[in-house]
Amino acid sequence: MRIGMIAPLEMRVPPVAYGGTELLVSLLTEGLVKQGHEVTLFASGDSRTAARLISVCGKFLRGTPRDKSVLNILNVVACLERADEFDIIHNHTQLEGLSTAGLVRTPMLTTLHGNLKDDWLKLFRQYRGWYNTISISAKRLLPDKERFAGVIYNAIDVTSYPYNGSAPDDYMLFLSRISREKGTHIAIEVARRLGRKIIIAGNIDTTDRPYFEEEVLPLIDNDLIRFVGEANYSMKRKLMSGAYCLLAPITWDEPFGLFLVESMACGTPVIIFNRGSAPEVIAHGVTGYIVETVEEMAGAVGKIGEIDRKRCRQHVKLNFDVPRMVNAYLDVYSSVQEEAGTKRRREPIETGTQYL
Amino acid sequence: MRIGMIAPLEMRVPPVAYGGTELLVSLLTEGLVKQGHEVTLFASGDSRTAARLISVCGKFLRGTPRDKSVLNILNVVACLERADEFDIIHNHTQLEGLSTAGLVRTPMLTTLHGNLKDDWLKLFRQYRGWYNTISISAKRLLPDKERFAGVIYNAIDVTSYPYNGSAPDDYMLFLSRISREKGTHIAIEVARRLGRKIIIAGNIDTTDRPYFEEEVLPLIDNDLIRFVGEANYSMKRKLMSGAYCLLAPITWDEPFGLFLVESMACGTPVIIFNRGSAPEVIAHGVTGYIVETVEEMAGAVGKIGEIDRKRCRQHVKLNFDVPRMVNAYLDVYSSVQEEAGTKRRREPIETGTQYL
């Protein structure tokens, strides 16, 4: 199959720092190429790929004074101008791809990695392509069921995560962005209630700095509660495989938590609040526990010995490994192509019909 | 001719308040319709036109919390989706139209109303359509001569400006945005040097508020120097036709000054600094004076009696009236159409070739 793959330009593919979408695009692209598909990747020029790479800019945009909206549109347009070369266009941007899909004959699939915000949610009905979400939970708010192509979970390269089947170190782990949404303060509260050790690892965004300084920093005692900063590639794997459980007291409906999958791949079960995609990613009682309150979370820690770490690893291999995701996307590509051949195109907007 | 006309959504067409581009679009659109051309106007839903109106949003965007980038792209896309219905697309947006012109077969003409800033200037070479500027001066900075379709000056509806051929009131006029670029403080300095009356009229943008309070307000004495706020439709015409001259001590390269044309239409000559398009709009010694310094401006006021006010009005009728502009655009539409038929389309961007 001939695929035009559009990545955001915020970070290179694969990312050198935080960049969940760019990592996903990389795993998918390399997986498709390995299967012999012809992929053209539209991404920043410093990206690394076995696919054909076409770039409107040499370097990724995060931290530069470049006009991002301009370059992201040109990146999508660079792909659309070659639309005839592709059987399908797989778009990972929002505004830029969603608004322009109707201008080419080649069908577009958009993967919605984050939530559509504000005006975009209302305007989604003008989108002329198909879309998939990364969890059932993420699909709930979307108005247009007609062009929905399915749920495809994100994946990781399981072989790159070290499995630790026995005798983990004596600590629980919180590993995520330090923020109220991720519930750093709740993880600490659970550890303090139980008098058990927890390691806090994660980056701190500028907007979360006051939260960190007021609600997290005062509780760090470097004994029970340790803070180790942002974990890089190898440190993350070491921390995850060494913990006896990961705490995920999320306070928002996260569409998909890649860090949960990474933890289970190392054999480490997850205790998580019942929000967003939690019940889709964690098998309750098998790879961890899904709980409703702080009390329940503390209680679940006591039962963590009942979880078989081998089952955690297996769960990820079965459901969240790259080959499964690649095949799922190939299936969706085919069904979108088929639908595009039979379905009437949406008409352009008419006099008297406004989106907003 | 069948024309797809794309307006910015910032203000309705024609504007209820400040909106130079939207006013131009209105005059051009109505002029084309009057000549029997088939125009589809893509503009906010509250616009008023004899053309077919297609709108992605009901009301203009200035002052609303709407996501402007989203709606401006959808507005352009609404036109591009109907590209086959048009002989030419006339685009008055920047980013949105300039980036997407290559996605349709119908040729696009873009009128550059303002300066292209920052990244856009560098990225201009990817534009797949043609462009015109509103003065020779405005063309100077643009890198791409190949797709340049000509200079077409903006126009006014001369009949809507009252001509005052004799005995003007005893004041000079400054009528423009109150700002350093427009040189409000210099106009006042000229009046003070000469001990002559000046009326200052104009809106004050938020960014220009400190300038107004520090450098203009202290000099208002309500005797020699009067400030009357922003002038509406009829007040502007009254002030302009009553003045014996307009002072325009601009300190930037204004691409085109519509207020200069309006003043001359009323019979009122203009004394202006030699910046931007000044020598293209003002006929030195005939419809006013083009000067280099504050001293020269003050000196020119003394010679204002030598200017024949009738010649000012004639100059505007000849060069800046709507029918002339409409015909100039029709000529450019034809030559662009012809070139589009013979010229090879630009190739999409290739691996290893980056814009930035």
mmCIF file of all heavy atoms in Angstrom, chain A residues 53 55-58 66-67 70 73 81-82 99 119-120 122-123 128 349 351 354-356, chain B residues 53 55-58 66-67 70 73 81-82 99 119-120 122-123 128 349 351 354-356:
data_model
loop_
_atom_site.group_PDB
_atom_site.id
_atom_site.type_symbol
_atom_site.label_atom_id
_atom_site.label_comp_id
_atom_site.label_asym_id
_atom_site.label_seq_id
_atom_site.Cartn_x
_atom_site.Cartn_y
_atom_site.Cartn_z
ATOM 1 N N LEU A 53 11.385 10.453 3.193
ATOM 2 C CA LEU A 53 11.105 11.602 4.067
ATOM 3 C C LEU A 53 10.983 12.869 3.230
ATOM 4 O O LEU A 53 11.856 13.181 2.431
ATOM 5 C CB LEU A 53 12.240 11.766 5.083
ATOM 6 C CG LEU A 53 12.143 12.964 6.039
ATOM 7 C CD1 LEU A 53 10.952 12.822 6.978
ATOM 8 C CD2 LEU A 53 13.436 13.113 6.846
ATOM 9 N N SER A 55 10.255 17.030 3.855
ATOM 10 C CA SER A 55 10.235 17.989 4.964
ATOM 11 C C SER A 55 10.126 19.414 4.460
ATOM 12 O O SER A 55 10.891 19.809 3.588
ATOM 13 C CB SER A 55 11.535 17.871 5.772
ATOM 14 O OG SER A 55 11.812 16.529 6.074
ATOM 15 N N VAL A 56 9.230 20.190 5.030
ATOM 16 C CA VAL A 56 9.169 21.605 4.670
ATOM 17 C C VAL A 56 10.157 22.416 5.498
ATOM 18 O O VAL A 56 10.489 23.543 5.154
ATOM 19 C CB VAL A 56 7.741 22.196 4.817
ATOM 20 C CG1 VAL A 56 6.788 21.525 3.842
ATOM 21 C CG2 VAL A 56 7.240 22.088 6.242
ATOM 22 N N CYS A 57 10.639 21.849 6.618
ATOM 23 C CA CYS A 57 11.626 22.557 7.433
ATOM 24 C C CYS A 57 12.699 21.579 7.899
ATOM 25 O O CYS A 57 12.443 20.379 8.031
ATOM 26 C CB CYS A 57 10.967 23.229 8.636
ATOM 27 S SG CYS A 57 10.081 22.094 9.702
ATOM 28 N N GLY A 58 13.903 22.101 8.138
ATOM 29 C CA GLY A 58 15.021 21.230 8.461
ATOM 30 C C GLY A 58 14.976 20.665 9.865
ATOM 31 O O GLY A 58 15.358 19.518 10.102
ATOM 32 N N ARG A 66 10.156 29.962 15.033
ATOM 33 C CA ARG A 66 9.453 29.726 13.774
ATOM 34 C C ARG A 66 7.948 29.881 13.939
ATOM 35 O O ARG A 66 7.397 29.592 15.004
ATOM 36 C CB ARG A 66 9.734 28.318 13.250
ATOM 37 C CG ARG A 66 11.177 28.044 12.841
ATOM 38 C CD ARG A 66 11.386 28.413 11.390
ATOM 39 N NE ARG A 66 11.710 29.808 11.209
ATOM 40 C CZ ARG A 66 12.956 30.281 11.129
ATOM 41 N NH1 ARG A 66 13.976 29.478 11.196
ATOM 42 N NH2 ARG A 66 13.164 31.571 10.975
ATOM 43 N N ASP A 67 7.282 30.292 12.864
ATOM 44 C CA ASP A 67 5.828 30.398 12.863
ATOM 45 C C ASP A 67 5.242 29.003 12.659
ATOM 46 O O ASP A 67 5.206 28.474 11.564
ATOM 47 C CB ASP A 67 5.396 31.328 11.729
ATOM 48 C CG ASP A 67 3.912 31.643 11.796
ATOM 49 O OD1 ASP A 67 3.138 30.785 12.282
ATOM 50 O OD2 ASP A 67 3.516 32.725 11.365
ATOM 51 N N VAL A 70 2.118 28.315 10.231
ATOM 52 C CA VAL A 70 2.488 28.371 8.819
ATOM 53 C C VAL A 70 3.127 27.064 8.377
ATOM 54 O O VAL A 70 2.724 26.444 7.387
ATOM 55 C CB VAL A 70 3.477 29.536 8.573
ATOM 56 C CG1 VAL A 70 4.084 29.424 7.186
ATOM 57 C CG2 VAL A 70 2.780 30.873 8.749
ATOM 58 N N ILE A 73 0.811 23.941 8.301
ATOM 59 C CA ILE A 73 -0.070 23.921 7.130
ATOM 60 C C ILE A 73 0.717 23.514 5.885
ATOM 61 O O ILE A 73 0.292 22.662 5.114
ATOM 62 C CB ILE A 73 -0.731 25.298 6.911
ATOM 63 C CG1 ILE A 73 -1.780 25.535 7.992
ATOM 64 C CG2 ILE A 73 -1.398 25.362 5.538
ATOM 65 C CD1 ILE A 73 -2.537 26.822 7.834
ATOM 66 N N GLU A 81 -0.459 17.908 -2.025
ATOM 67 C CA GLU A 81 -0.040 18.177 -3.406
ATOM 68 C C GLU A 81 0.409 16.900 -4.123
ATOM 69 O O GLU A 81 0.456 16.856 -5.344
ATOM 70 C CB GLU A 81 1.095 19.221 -3.427
ATOM 71 C CG GLU A 81 0.592 20.634 -3.126
ATOM 72 C CD GLU A 81 1.684 21.695 -3.232
ATOM 73 O OE1 GLU A 81 2.879 21.344 -3.202
ATOM 74 O OE2 GLU A 81 1.337 22.879 -3.345
ATOM 75 N N ARG A 82 0.770 15.885 -3.349
ATOM 76 C CA ARG A 82 1.171 14.602 -3.920
ATOM 77 C C ARG A 82 0.088 13.545 -3.720
ATOM 78 O O ARG A 82 0.363 12.345 -3.820
ATOM 79 C CB ARG A 82 2.434 14.096 -3.230
ATOM 80 C CG ARG A 82 3.667 14.936 -3.482
ATOM 81 C CD ARG A 82 4.844 14.375 -2.701
ATOM 82 N NE ARG A 82 6.072 15.067 -3.058
ATOM 83 C CZ ARG A 82 6.794 14.784 -4.141
ATOM 84 N NH1 ARG A 82 6.429 13.800 -4.927
ATOM 85 N NH2 ARG A 82 7.884 15.471 -4.421
ATOM 86 N N SER A 99 -9.036 20.288 8.239
ATOM 87 C CA SER A 99 -9.727 21.326 7.466
ATOM 88 C C SER A 99 -9.558 21.154 5.966
ATOM 89 O O SER A 99 -10.355 21.659 5.195
ATOM 90 C CB SER A 99 -9.234 22.715 7.894
ATOM 91 O OG SER A 99 -7.833 22.798 7.751
ATOM 92 N N ASP A 119 -13.655 25.435 19.437
ATOM 93 C CA ASP A 119 -14.289 25.550 18.139
ATOM 94 C C ASP A 119 -14.097 24.301 17.282
ATOM 95 O O ASP A 119 -14.975 23.952 16.486
ATOM 96 C CB ASP A 119 -13.733 26.763 17.396
ATOM 97 C CG ASP A 119 -14.392 28.044 17.865
ATOM 98 O OD1 ASP A 119 -15.352 27.940 18.652
ATOM 99 O OD2 ASP A 119 -13.960 29.123 17.469
ATOM 100 N N TRP A 120 -12.989 23.588 17.453
ATOM 101 C CA TRP A 120 -12.748 22.440 16.591
ATOM 102 C C TRP A 120 -13.775 21.343 16.771
ATOM 103 O O TRP A 120 -14.149 20.660 15.841
ATOM 104 C CB TRP A 120 -11.343 21.883 16.781
ATOM 105 C CG TRP A 120 -10.522 22.194 15.595
ATOM 106 C CD1 TRP A 120 -9.356 22.879 15.584
ATOM 107 C CD2 TRP A 120 -10.842 21.901 14.234
ATOM 108 N NE1 TRP A 120 -8.926 23.014 14.287
ATOM 109 C CE2 TRP A 120 -9.810 22.428 13.453
ATOM 110 C CE3 TRP A 120 -11.890 21.255 13.589
ATOM 111 C CZ2 TRP A 120 -9.793 22.324 12.069
ATOM 112 C CZ3 TRP A 120 -11.871 21.152 12.214
ATOM 113 C CH2 TRP A 120 -10.838 21.678 11.471
ATOM 114 N N LYS A 122 -16.871 21.748 17.527
ATOM 115 C CA LYS A 122 -18.089 22.167 16.823
ATOM 116 C C LYS A 122 -17.930 22.072 15.307
ATOM 117 O O LYS A 122 -18.884 21.827 14.583
ATOM 118 C CB LYS A 122 -18.430 23.619 17.180
ATOM 119 C CG LYS A 122 -18.846 23.794 18.631
ATOM 120 C CD LYS A 122 -19.179 25.255 18.907
ATOM 121 C CE LYS A 122 -19.038 25.570 20.399
ATOM 122 N NZ LYS A 122 -18.515 26.919 20.630
ATOM 123 N N LEU A 123 -16.714 22.299 14.858
ATOM 124 C CA LEU A 123 -16.479 22.359 13.418
ATOM 125 C C LEU A 123 -16.159 21.002 12.816
ATOM 126 O O LEU A 123 -16.004 20.871 11.606
ATOM 127 C CB LEU A 123 -15.328 23.323 13.129
ATOM 128 C CG LEU A 123 -15.634 24.769 13.466
ATOM 129 C CD1 LEU A 123 -14.370 25.604 13.456
ATOM 130 C CD2 LEU A 123 -16.646 25.323 12.481
ATOM 131 N N ARG A 128 -13.934 16.104 5.951
ATOM 132 C CA ARG A 128 -14.332 15.279 4.805
ATOM 133 C C ARG A 128 -13.643 13.906 4.803
ATOM 134 O O ARG A 128 -13.718 13.208 3.800
ATOM 135 C CB ARG A 128 -13.987 15.981 3.486
ATOM 136 C CG ARG A 128 -14.381 17.440 3.430
ATOM 137 C CD ARG A 128 -15.825 17.619 3.039
ATOM 138 N NE ARG A 128 -16.103 18.997 2.739
ATOM 139 C CZ ARG A 128 -17.017 19.716 3.381
ATOM 140 N NH1 ARG A 128 -17.727 19.204 4.367
ATOM 141 N NH2 ARG A 128 -17.223 20.970 3.036
ATOM 142 N N ILE A 349 -19.903 23.541 1.513
ATOM 143 C CA ILE A 349 -20.877 24.364 2.235
ATOM 144 C C ILE A 349 -21.608 25.286 1.249
ATOM 145 O O ILE A 349 -21.042 25.756 0.274
ATOM 146 C CB ILE A 349 -20.176 25.159 3.360
ATOM 147 C CG1 ILE A 349 -21.206 25.772 4.304
ATOM 148 C CG2 ILE A 349 -19.241 26.210 2.808
ATOM 149 C CD1 ILE A 349 -20.598 26.306 5.588
ATOM 150 N N THR A 351 -24.644 28.503 0.409
ATOM 151 C CA THR A 351 -25.191 29.773 0.875
ATOM 152 C C THR A 351 -26.240 29.496 1.965
ATOM 153 O O THR A 351 -27.094 28.640 1.787
ATOM 154 C CB THR A 351 -25.868 30.521 -0.288
ATOM 155 O OG1 THR A 351 -24.888 30.758 -1.294
ATOM 156 C CG2 THR A 351 -26.438 31.853 0.173
ATOM 157 N N GLN A 354 -24.124 27.687 7.710
ATOM 158 C CA GLN A 354 -22.866 28.070 8.345
ATOM 159 C C GLN A 354 -22.430 27.029 9.365
ATOM 160 O O GLN A 354 -23.254 26.351 9.949
ATOM 161 C CB GLN A 354 -23.016 29.440 9.017
ATOM 162 C CG GLN A 354 -23.114 30.576 8.009
ATOM 163 C CD GLN A 354 -24.096 31.643 8.398
ATOM 164 O OE1 GLN A 354 -24.569 31.685 9.530
ATOM 165 N NE2 GLN A 354 -24.424 32.515 7.472
ATOM 166 N N TYR A 355 -21.145 26.902 9.570
ATOM 167 C CA TYR A 355 -20.640 25.956 10.569
ATOM 168 C C TYR A 355 -20.838 26.501 11.977
ATOM 169 O O TYR A 355 -21.093 25.780 12.917
ATOM 170 C CB TYR A 355 -19.143 25.698 10.359
ATOM 171 C CG TYR A 355 -18.789 25.047 9.040
ATOM 172 C CD1 TYR A 355 -17.755 25.546 8.260
ATOM 173 C CD2 TYR A 355 -19.477 23.921 8.589
ATOM 174 C CE1 TYR A 355 -17.411 24.951 7.065
ATOM 175 C CE2 TYR A 355 -19.133 23.330 7.386
ATOM 176 C CZ TYR A 355 -18.104 23.846 6.622
ATOM 177 O OH TYR A 355 -17.765 23.266 5.442
ATOM 178 N N LEU A 356 -20.690 27.823 12.123
ATOM 179 C CA LEU A 356 -20.634 28.412 13.462
ATOM 180 C C LEU A 356 -21.362 29.751 13.469
ATOM 181 O O LEU A 356 -21.080 30.589 12.636
ATOM 182 C CB LEU A 356 -19.161 28.641 13.828
ATOM 183 C CG LEU A 356 -18.797 28.519 15.289
ATOM 184 C CD1 LEU A 356 -18.743 27.063 15.698
ATOM 185 C CD2 LEU A 356 -17.432 29.149 15.518
ATOM 186 N N LEU B 53 -23.279 34.860 -1.640
ATOM 187 C CA LEU B 53 -22.476 34.881 -0.408
ATOM 188 C C LEU B 53 -22.412 33.479 0.188
ATOM 189 O O LEU B 53 -23.443 32.838 0.389
ATOM 190 C CB LEU B 53 -23.099 35.847 0.604
ATOM 191 C CG LEU B 53 -22.432 35.936 1.978
ATOM 192 C CD1 LEU B 53 -21.026 36.524 1.886
ATOM 193 C CD2 LEU B 53 -23.288 36.771 2.943
ATOM 194 N N SER B 55 -20.695 31.522 3.586
ATOM 195 C CA SER B 55 -20.081 31.895 4.869
ATOM 196 C C SER B 55 -19.899 30.670 5.743
ATOM 197 O O SER B 55 -20.833 29.904 5.939
ATOM 198 C CB SER B 55 -20.984 32.878 5.615
ATOM 199 O OG SER B 55 -21.405 33.917 4.752
ATOM 200 N N VAL B 56 -18.717 30.509 6.308
ATOM 201 C CA VAL B 56 -18.517 29.421 7.266
ATOM 202 C C VAL B 56 -18.952 29.841 8.666
ATOM 203 O O VAL B 56 -19.156 29.007 9.538
ATOM 204 C CB VAL B 56 -17.050 28.933 7.288
ATOM 205 C CG1 VAL B 56 -16.664 28.345 5.940
ATOM 206 C CG2 VAL B 56 -16.085 30.044 7.669
ATOM 207 N N CYS B 57 -19.089 31.156 8.890
ATOM 208 C CA CYS B 57 -19.545 31.626 10.201
ATOM 209 C C CYS B 57 -20.546 32.761 10.011
ATOM 210 O O CYS B 57 -20.513 33.466 9.005
ATOM 211 C CB CYS B 57 -18.371 32.095 11.060
ATOM 212 S SG CYS B 57 -17.417 33.413 10.306
ATOM 213 N N GLY B 58 -21.439 32.904 10.979
ATOM 214 C CA GLY B 58 -22.523 33.865 10.841
ATOM 215 C C GLY B 58 -22.094 35.309 11.009
ATOM 216 O O GLY B 58 -22.596 36.197 10.329
ATOM 217 N N ARG B 66 -13.956 33.334 19.154
ATOM 218 C CA ARG B 66 -13.814 32.305 18.121
ATOM 219 C C ARG B 66 -12.353 32.069 17.776
ATOM 220 O O ARG B 66 -11.533 32.969 17.824
ATOM 221 C CB ARG B 66 -14.545 32.728 16.842
ATOM 222 C CG ARG B 66 -16.038 32.832 16.958
ATOM 223 C CD ARG B 66 -16.691 31.489 16.663
ATOM 224 N NE ARG B 66 -16.823 30.661 17.854
ATOM 225 C CZ ARG B 66 -17.884 30.637 18.635
ATOM 226 N NH1 ARG B 66 -18.913 31.378 18.365
ATOM 227 N NH2 ARG B 66 -17.910 29.847 19.694
ATOM 228 N N ASP B 67 -12.048 30.838 17.387
ATOM 229 C CA ASP B 67 -10.711 30.469 16.940
ATOM 230 C C ASP B 67 -10.534 30.973 15.500
ATOM 231 O O ASP B 67 -11.013 30.369 14.557
ATOM 232 C CB ASP B 67 -10.547 28.949 17.019
ATOM 233 C CG ASP B 67 -9.111 28.543 16.756
ATOM 234 O OD1 ASP B 67 -8.414 29.259 16.020
ATOM 235 O OD2 ASP B 67 -8.697 27.513 17.293
ATOM 236 N N VAL B 70 -8.725 28.749 12.688
ATOM 237 C CA VAL B 70 -9.578 27.660 12.211
ATOM 238 C C VAL B 70 -10.577 28.170 11.182
ATOM 239 O O VAL B 70 -10.701 27.632 10.079
ATOM 240 C CB VAL B 70 -10.338 27.012 13.388
ATOM 241 C CG1 VAL B 70 -11.422 26.084 12.871
ATOM 242 C CG2 VAL B 70 -9.390 26.268 14.298
ATOM 243 N N ILE B 73 -9.132 29.374 7.801
ATOM 244 C CA ILE B 73 -8.749 28.265 6.914
ATOM 245 C C ILE B 73 -10.000 27.657 6.293
ATOM 246 O O ILE B 73 -10.054 27.411 5.086
ATOM 247 C CB ILE B 73 -7.949 27.193 7.679
ATOM 248 C CG1 ILE B 73 -6.551 27.719 7.991
ATOM 249 C CG2 ILE B 73 -7.831 25.918 6.846
ATOM 250 C CD1 ILE B 73 -5.665 26.746 8.694
ATOM 251 N N GLU B 81 -12.943 24.124 -2.359
ATOM 252 C CA GLU B 81 -13.776 22.945 -2.630
ATOM 253 C C GLU B 81 -14.697 23.165 -3.836
ATOM 254 O O GLU B 81 -15.214 22.224 -4.416
ATOM 255 C CB GLU B 81 -14.606 22.567 -1.393
ATOM 256 C CG GLU B 81 -13.756 21.936 -0.298
ATOM 257 C CD GLU B 81 -14.564 21.479 0.908
ATOM 258 O OE1 GLU B 81 -15.716 21.924 1.083
ATOM 259 O OE2 GLU B 81 -14.035 20.674 1.690
ATOM 260 N N ARG B 82 -14.928 24.423 -4.155
ATOM 261 C CA ARG B 82 -15.752 24.764 -5.311
ATOM 262 C C ARG B 82 -14.904 25.303 -6.458
ATOM 263 O O ARG B 82 -15.446 25.935 -7.378
ATOM 264 C CB ARG B 82 -16.764 25.860 -4.930
ATOM 265 C CG ARG B 82 -17.800 25.429 -3.938
ATOM 266 C CD ARG B 82 -18.706 26.607 -3.593
ATOM 267 N NE ARG B 82 -19.803 26.170 -2.749
ATOM 268 C CZ ARG B 82 -20.919 25.616 -3.206
ATOM 269 N NH1 ARG B 82 -21.078 25.460 -4.499
ATOM 270 N NH2 ARG B 82 -21.862 25.219 -2.380
ATOM 271 N N SER B 99 -0.919 29.368 1.222
ATOM 272 C CA SER B 99 -0.369 28.030 1.457
ATOM 273 C C SER B 99 -1.104 26.950 0.680
ATOM 274 O O SER B 99 -0.561 25.882 0.447
ATOM 275 C CB SER B 99 -0.398 27.702 2.954
ATOM 276 O OG SER B 99 -1.702 27.821 3.456
ATOM 277 N N ASP B 119 8.382 34.623 8.905
ATOM 278 C CA ASP B 119 8.509 33.379 8.158
ATOM 279 C C ASP B 119 7.788 33.424 6.819
ATOM 280 O O ASP B 119 8.220 32.801 5.855
ATOM 281 C CB ASP B 119 7.966 32.218 8.998
ATOM 282 C CG ASP B 119 9.001 31.752 10.007
ATOM 283 O OD1 ASP B 119 10.141 32.254 9.945
ATOM 284 O OD2 ASP B 119 8.682 30.903 10.845
ATOM 285 N N TRP B 120 6.676 34.168 6.733
ATOM 286 C CA TRP B 120 5.920 34.177 5.493
ATOM 287 C C TRP B 120 6.712 34.722 4.320
ATOM 288 O O TRP B 120 6.594 34.282 3.186
ATOM 289 C CB TRP B 120 4.596 34.923 5.639
ATOM 290 C CG TRP B 120 3.493 33.955 5.632
ATOM 291 C CD1 TRP B 120 2.553 33.807 6.601
ATOM 292 C CD2 TRP B 120 3.232 32.951 4.643
ATOM 293 N NE1 TRP B 120 1.733 32.766 6.272
ATOM 294 C CE2 TRP B 120 2.124 32.218 5.081
ATOM 295 C CE3 TRP B 120 3.823 32.579 3.457
ATOM 296 C CZ2 TRP B 120 1.580 31.152 4.370
ATOM 297 C CZ3 TRP B 120 3.304 31.519 2.734
ATOM 298 C CH2 TRP B 120 2.193 30.827 3.197
ATOM 299 N N LYS B 122 9.888 34.474 3.873
ATOM 300 C CA LYS B 122 10.820 33.421 3.437
ATOM 301 C C LYS B 122 10.096 32.297 2.711
ATOM 302 O O LYS B 122 10.640 31.644 1.842
ATOM 303 C CB LYS B 122 11.554 32.848 4.652
ATOM 304 C CG LYS B 122 12.473 33.835 5.330
ATOM 305 C CD LYS B 122 13.166 33.199 6.533
ATOM 306 C CE LYS B 122 13.645 34.267 7.503
ATOM 307 N NZ LYS B 122 13.538 33.851 8.889
ATOM 308 N N LEU B 123 8.873 32.045 3.142
ATOM 309 C CA LEU B 123 8.141 30.902 2.607
ATOM 310 C C LEU B 123 7.358 31.232 1.343
ATOM 311 O O LEU B 123 6.744 30.372 0.740
ATOM 312 C CB LEU B 123 7.178 30.366 3.675
ATOM 313 C CG LEU B 123 7.870 29.769 4.883
ATOM 314 C CD1 LEU B 123 6.887 29.583 6.015
ATOM 315 C CD2 LEU B 123 8.508 28.450 4.511
ATOM 316 N N ARG B 128 1.862 28.863 -4.994
ATOM 317 C CA ARG B 128 1.630 28.322 -6.337
ATOM 318 C C ARG B 128 0.731 29.209 -7.201
ATOM 319 O O ARG B 128 0.254 28.779 -8.235
ATOM 320 C CB ARG B 128 0.985 26.941 -6.238
ATOM 321 C CG ARG B 128 1.625 26.009 -5.244
ATOM 322 C CD ARG B 128 2.824 25.292 -5.822
ATOM 323 N NE ARG B 128 3.257 24.221 -4.953
ATOM 324 C CZ ARG B 128 4.467 24.143 -4.399
ATOM 325 N NH1 ARG B 128 5.352 25.087 -4.613
ATOM 326 N NH2 ARG B 128 4.789 23.126 -3.623
ATOM 327 N N ILE B 349 7.152 19.939 -3.240
ATOM 328 C CA ILE B 349 8.457 19.886 -2.593
ATOM 329 C C ILE B 349 8.963 18.434 -2.573
ATOM 330 O O ILE B 349 8.184 17.491 -2.439
ATOM 331 C CB ILE B 349 8.411 20.512 -1.178
ATOM 332 C CG1 ILE B 349 9.815 20.722 -0.636
ATOM 333 C CG2 ILE B 349 7.565 19.669 -0.238
ATOM 334 C CD1 ILE B 349 9.843 21.610 0.613
ATOM 335 N N THR B 351 12.082 15.365 -1.481
ATOM 336 C CA THR B 351 13.014 14.942 -0.438
ATOM 337 C C THR B 351 14.301 15.763 -0.549
ATOM 338 O O THR B 351 14.834 15.924 -1.642
ATOM 339 C CB THR B 351 13.351 13.450 -0.617
ATOM 340 O OG1 THR B 351 12.148 12.701 -0.540
ATOM 341 C CG2 THR B 351 14.312 12.976 0.459
ATOM 342 N N GLN B 354 14.099 21.810 1.424
ATOM 343 C CA GLN B 354 13.261 22.370 2.483
ATOM 344 C C GLN B 354 13.035 23.856 2.275
ATOM 345 O O GLN B 354 13.866 24.539 1.688
ATOM 346 C CB GLN B 354 13.915 22.112 3.858
ATOM 347 C CG GLN B 354 13.879 20.647 4.249
ATOM 348 C CD GLN B 354 15.135 20.201 4.952
ATOM 349 O OE1 GLN B 354 15.949 21.005 5.368
ATOM 350 N NE2 GLN B 354 15.288 18.898 5.078
ATOM 351 N N TYR B 355 11.891 24.340 2.733
ATOM 352 C CA TYR B 355 11.610 25.766 2.606
ATOM 353 C C TYR B 355 12.421 26.570 3.622
ATOM 354 O O TYR B 355 12.839 27.674 3.384
ATOM 355 C CB TYR B 355 10.122 26.054 2.840
ATOM 356 C CG TYR B 355 9.190 25.428 1.835
ATOM 357 C CD1 TYR B 355 8.073 24.730 2.244
ATOM 358 C CD2 TYR B 355 9.425 25.542 0.469
ATOM 359 C CE1 TYR B 355 7.201 24.169 1.338
ATOM 360 C CE2 TYR B 355 8.568 24.972 -0.445
ATOM 361 C CZ TYR B 355 7.460 24.286 -0.007
ATOM 362 O OH TYR B 355 6.611 23.730 -0.903
ATOM 363 N N LEU B 356 12.601 26.016 4.815
ATOM 364 C CA LEU B 356 13.176 26.771 5.929
ATOM 365 C C LEU B 356 14.110 25.885 6.723
ATOM 366 O O LEU B 356 13.731 24.780 7.098
ATOM 367 C CB LEU B 356 12.018 27.218 6.834
ATOM 368 C CG LEU B 356 12.169 28.538 7.536
ATOM 369 C CD1 LEU B 356 12.016 29.695 6.581
ATOM 370 C CD2 LEU B 356 11.109 28.636 8.627
#
